Amino acid sequence: MNASIISQLSSFDIAIDLGTYKTSIFVRGEGIVLEEPTLICLRNNEYVQGSVIAIGDEARSIYGKEPENVITVKPLRGGVVEHLEATKLLIKSFARKAKWLGRLRKPNVLISAPFAISNIERRAVRDVAASISSRSIGVIEEPIAAAIGCDLDIGGSQALMVVDAGWGITEAAVISLGGIVHCESERVGGEVIVHSIIEYFKKAYALQIGERTAASIMRVLSDFDCDFENEMSVRGMDVASRLPMLRHFKLEELRGVIQTPLASIVRTIKRTLENTPPMLSADLIENGIVLTGGTALLKDFDTLIESHTGIPVRIAQNPHSCVIRGGGSALDYLSQFKLA
Ligand SMILES: Nc1ncnc2c1ncn2[C@@H]1O[C@H](COP(=O)(O)OP(=O)(O)OP(=O)(O)O)[C@@H](O)[C@H]1O
Ligand SMILES: [Mg+2]
């Protein structure tokens, strides 16, 4: 067999972060090759390859404007697979897009999953990975991947704390000697915040706004330079007249609106701290808390956590990609995560 055929037959390693908001794929030796919304548009409500109209970025641009026979499915909810068939179709379509499905070479897959999931939910994650490869499959806990992805020394005896605040789920974990000592999880994240914003405009302005509009307002609140004194305009539908309407509001108004979901995340973090063995608490005070996940970018979120816990908080660099970068680095130790 010549070298080129051997290289075509040999396996390669990929990491997948299957998130409620976005899916990322990392190929060993190449880095992150795909980062797209976890969304799929299907024709006639049929969960078969031939009915896939759009995936990822393209599906996001269709979302909310679908013709009658097309539906957009969000396959995950609260960090876990809700529609198994839709998730498999999406991953297969991403694999096709990345041009490695159907080739002779099959990938070894390391897929991340939240720490606090049931056995059934874990099996669904494994099934998704198995749908694109018959080779080795491993699962890595998301807080561990997040910690590796922001270059924390997870193998040391010094305890550290990572809070991964994503779109559908937030996990607060204390890690020591390479493993999770305690982790609390709450199915709250950016999505709940977006829905709080939608509810606010309905109540305060009798204005129905779309999810995309609310998400773009949340992006403004996640901007490093965001000033709560600034005014913004928002378009929506007047609830009474059902006519399109433009309203002006001050970002300051939303400070209180996002407090409820943020308070729930803070409570999750405090539960983890309360359940951490006292011997490790000193390490946490010294090392601080590292925030990862896209929701970590929300303005003043770090200060809020600091004021409620008394522990210094640092936002990881590129927090939304820590889990996939960590999964990618963990490919070097794939056998440690392999499923039996
Ligand atoms: N590349 C990016 N640049 C800026 N913001 C981003 C990026 N990717 C995600 N976000 C923001 O992060 C939030 C989603 O967080 P994240 O990507 O961590 O969720 P997820 O991992 O898909 O969800 P979960 O872990 O809860 O299942 C969204 O508000 C989104 O706007
Ligand atoms: Mg995530």
Side-chain angles (χ1 to χ4, degrees):
M1 237 185 278
N2 70 28
S4 127
I5 294 177
I6 290 173
S7 99
Q8 278 182 45
L9 290 173
S10 61
S11 62
F12 62 111
D13 302 330
I14 65 165
I16 299 176
D17 173 18
L18 189 57
T20 315
Y21 182 84
K22 68 168 199 292
T23 297
S24 309
I25 299 178
F26 181 109
V27 177
R28 191 173 177 170
E30 292 180 38
I32 299 171
V33 295
L34 183 139
E35 192 182 65
E36 295 203 31
T38 311
L39 279 179
I40 182 164
C41 296
L42 296 162
R43 196 186 295 114
N44 300 331
N45 209 0
E46 282 171 2
Y47 291 74
V48 291
Q49 196 65 54
S51 295
V52 177
I53 303 266
I55 53 163
D57 288 325
E58 212 183 327
R60 165 132 303 157
S61 66
I62 293 175
Y63 182 45
K65 305 174 193 162
E66 303 89 342
E68 220 169 59
N69 64 338
V70 172
I71 54 160
T72 303
V73 180
K74 295 176 181 173
L76 268 78
R77 181 192 279 270
V80 298
V81 175
E82 187 174 60
H83 296 284
L84 181 59
E85 289 315 312
T87 314
K88 283 189 197 169
L89 273 178
L90 182 67
I91 284 292
K92 278 187 191 167
S93 306
F94 281 147
R96 259 193 201 99
K97 193 167 179 182
K99 295 197 170 51
W100 38 258
L101 193 71
R103 287 191 176 185
L104 291 174
R105 295 168 80 214
K106 300 281 181 225
N108 296 309
V109 181
L110 182 61
I111 188 163
S112 52
F115 174 80
I117 57 173
S118 68
N119 287 338
I120 295 173
E121 290 165 341
R122 192 171 295 271
R123 197 174 316 133
V125 170
R126 191 190 54 201
D127 287 352
V128 169
S131 71
I132 49 162
S133 181
S134 50
R135 295 190 69 95
S136 162
I137 291 164
V139 176
I140 182 169
E141 289 150 343
E142 278 171 12
I144 293 281
I148 298 173
C150 52
D151 296 326
L152 295 178
D153 175 19
I154 64 157
S157 58
Q158 278 260 323
L160 46 94
M161 184 164 181
V162 170
V163 175
D164 184 42
W167 187 248
I169 190 168
T170 296
E171 296 203 295
V174 171
I175 298 168
S176 176
L177 296 169
I180 290 178
V181 178
H182 191 85
C183 177
E184 291 283 334
S185 181
E186 189 75 39
R187 301 210 171 167
V188 173
E191 188 168 28
V192 175
I193 294 169
V194 158
H195 284 123
S196 307
I197 294 173
I198 293 174
E199 281 309 305
Y200 173 73
F201 282 102
K202 215 188 286 174
K203 275 202 192 121
Y205 292 93
L207 189 73
Q208 179 73 56
I209 64 166
E211 207 177 290
R212 256 201 290 205
T213 305
S216 67
I217 294 172
M218 185 173 140
R219 266 197 298 281
V220 173
L221 297 174
S222 304
D223 189 329
F224 182 75
D225 295 323
C226 164
D227 181 350
F228 281 104
E229 289 306 309
N230 283 348
E231 271 207 359
M232 245 186 104
S233 59
V234 61
R235 287 188 177 81
M237 184 185 81
D238 184 78
V239 173
S241 67
R242 302 190 68 79
L243 292 172
M245 199 65 70
L246 180 78
R247 298 273 187 204
H248 297 279
F249 69 99
K250 222 173 182 182
L251 285 174
E252 182 64 34
E253 295 171 46
L254 296 176
R255 224 197 256 266
V257 174
I258 63 173
Q259 280 315 300
T260 308
L262 292 186
S264 156
I265 295 179
V266 169
R267 278 196 298 275
T268 309
I269 297 170
K270 285 177 93 172
R271 278 204 308 278
T272 297
L273 290 170
E274 285 156 14
N275 284 288
T276 298
M279 277 173 66
L280 302 182
S281 301
D283 291 349
L284 299 187
I285 292 169
E286 198 181 317
N287 295 332
I289 297 171
V290 181
L291 266 182
T292 65
T295 302
L297 291 166
L298 264 183
K299 182 81 172 169
D300 295 344
F301 190 26
D302 48 346
T303 324
L304 181 80
I305 299 170
E306 240 174 61
S307 68
H308 280 83
T309 61
I311 297 179
V313 176
R314 163 170 84 80
I315 301 171
Q317 230 178 354
N318 297 319
H320 41 77
S321 59
C322 286
V323 170
I324 189 62
R325 282 186 277 127
S329 301
L331 287 171
D332 292 344
Y333 313 96
L334 192 56
S335 59
Q336 288 182 26
F337 302 98
K338 224 150 100 178
L339 293 171

